[in-house]
Amino acid sequence: MATRTAAQKRAEAKMEYDAFLAECPSRQLLDRISDKWVALVLAALGGDDVYPGSDRAGGPVPMRYSELARRLAGVSQKMLTQTLRSLERDGLVTRSVTPTVPVTVTYELTGLGISLHRAIRGIKLWAETHMDEVIANRERYDAPPEG
Amino acid sequence: MATRTAAQKRAEAKMEYDAFLAECPSRQLLDRISDKWVALVLAALGGDDVYPGSDRAGGPVPMRYSELARRLAGVSQKMLTQTLRSLERDGLVTRSVTPTVPVTVTYELTGLGISLHRAIRGIKLWAETHMDEVIANRERYDAPPEG
DNA sequence: CAGGATCCCGCTAGATACTG
DNA sequence: CAGTATCTAGCGGGATCCTG
């Protein structure tokens, strides 16, 4: 088929693309924090306040699974577990199991996790500073068609 | 049904959750940069080098649609257009149409876009600094089951 | 050249149920 | 309490065709 050449070109381009992305750390990190819940878990464990404005650092605070589940109300167990697993895997949080009668599992940021949390708070700061501007731009863009 | 109470509780929790998230700029920004291509477009328009290590700032560089398409090889027109639209909407990039024979469309970072780009480069820096550590942690985590 | 419209697939998030 | 296992729906995103 004549159409295959186009498809092939795309495939090739994609290969190259994927290749250089695999090397790019920022891309990998982006994949990481792009996970809807990662930033939120980090924020929670980092003692971050959820409300804008109060940008106090407050040291990292260990939390239990159920605490996190409450804090991130709306998250499914699946997502929470999955997120925590990946964070543990990357060495951003530690997972401690205390063999009490009902098992107790505690999560806590590692040094690495804290440093990332800090970097992300930079983004948060940007957002808090400029987000209203963005909102305004959106409204202007979505403005009534007639002028 | 007895099971409905559980569902309701979840629904309520989700409502609250969504409510406070809507107020949280960092969450909204996350939604923004979570889009697979946003960061890459920003990087391209920001004159960022794709390769790690070379973290030179190099001023923002205007690019045409086709240039961007080439730069982000592998992206579909749909995604590229969609991404550029949302960025334009948020006032992060400008879109200039020059009515030449074949239409010429140029995209460029706005001041706002530049500032976000800068913030994201902070993350990039973190990644370049700590990513190898993360990789190592992963390998350790995925290590052979036997000791 | 830049991008709109459409079809469609795959993945992933979410809900439910079960377990140690 | 802290998960695991399974099923499913929704939609993000890619491919293709078409337009100005």
Side-chain angles (χ1 to χ4, degrees), chain B residues 41 58 62 136:
Chain B
V41 169

Side-chain angles (χ1 to χ4, degrees), chain B residues 19-38:
Chain B
F20 98 67
L21 274 191
E23 308 260 337
C24 181
S26 65
R27 184 71 182 76
Q28 296 197 8
L29 172 62
L30 233 37
D31 281 348
R32 166 122 317 292
I33 65 173
S34 286
D35 280 327
K36 215 174 168 185
W37 305 106
V38 168

Side-chain angles (χ1 to χ4, degrees), chain A residues 73 89-90 115 126 138 142, chain B residues 17 89-90 115 126 138 142:
Chain A
R89 187 170 103 105
D90 288 355
S115 70
W126 184 94
R138 281 186 194 173
D142 299 336
Chain B
Y17 161 74
R89 189 170 101 105
D90 289 355
S115 70
W126 184 95
R138 280 185 194 174
D142 298 338

Side-chain angles (χ1 to χ4, degrees), chain A residues 1-144:
Chain A
M1 303 75 168
T3 54
R4 275 199 51 196
T5 36
Q8 282 186 339
K9 280 192 178 180
R10 291 202 172 229
E12 287 171 27
K14 180 155 191 166
M15 292 276 299
E16 292 176 32
Y17 161 74
D18 283 340
F20 98 67
L21 274 192
E23 308 260 337
C24 181
S26 65
R27 185 69 184 77
Q28 296 198 9
L29 172 63
L30 233 37
D31 281 348
R32 167 121 317 293
I33 67 172
S34 287
D35 280 328
K36 215 173 168 186
W37 304 106
V38 167
L40 294 176
V41 169
L42 243 48
L45 254 28
D48 242 13
D49 216 338
V50 269
Y51 311 104
S54 54
D55 208 29
R56 54 121 229 234
V61 40
M63 296 182 78
R64 299 181 52 182
Y65 182 90
S66 50
E67 286 184 285
L68 281 168
R70 262 193 305 277
R71 191 87 148 85
L72 309 183
V75 70
S76 60
Q77 311 97 305
K78 181 183 174 181
M79 279 303 97
L80 183 53
T81 299
Q82 188 172 297
T83 301
L84 289 169
R85 279 284 181 287
S86 80
L87 289 178
E88 185 196 1
R89 187 170 103 105
D90 288 355
L92 297 175
V93 306
T94 57
R95 177 175 179 271
S96 329
V97 181
T98 313
T100 52
V101 186
V103 197
T104 305
V105 180
T106 309
Y107 293 92
E108 186 170 7
L109 284 185
T110 63
L112 196 57
I114 293 175
S115 70
L116 175 55
H117 173 240
R118 199 163 282 157
I120 289 184
R121 286 180 72 243
I123 296 281
K124 189 188 177 193
L125 189 59
W126 184 94
E128 291 175 357
T129 310
H130 301 286
M131 208 57 196
D132 49 351
E133 208 171 331
V134 170
I135 305 281
N137 286 331
R138 281 186 194 173
E139 285 171 356
R140 200 171 314 137
Y141 188 93
D142 299 336

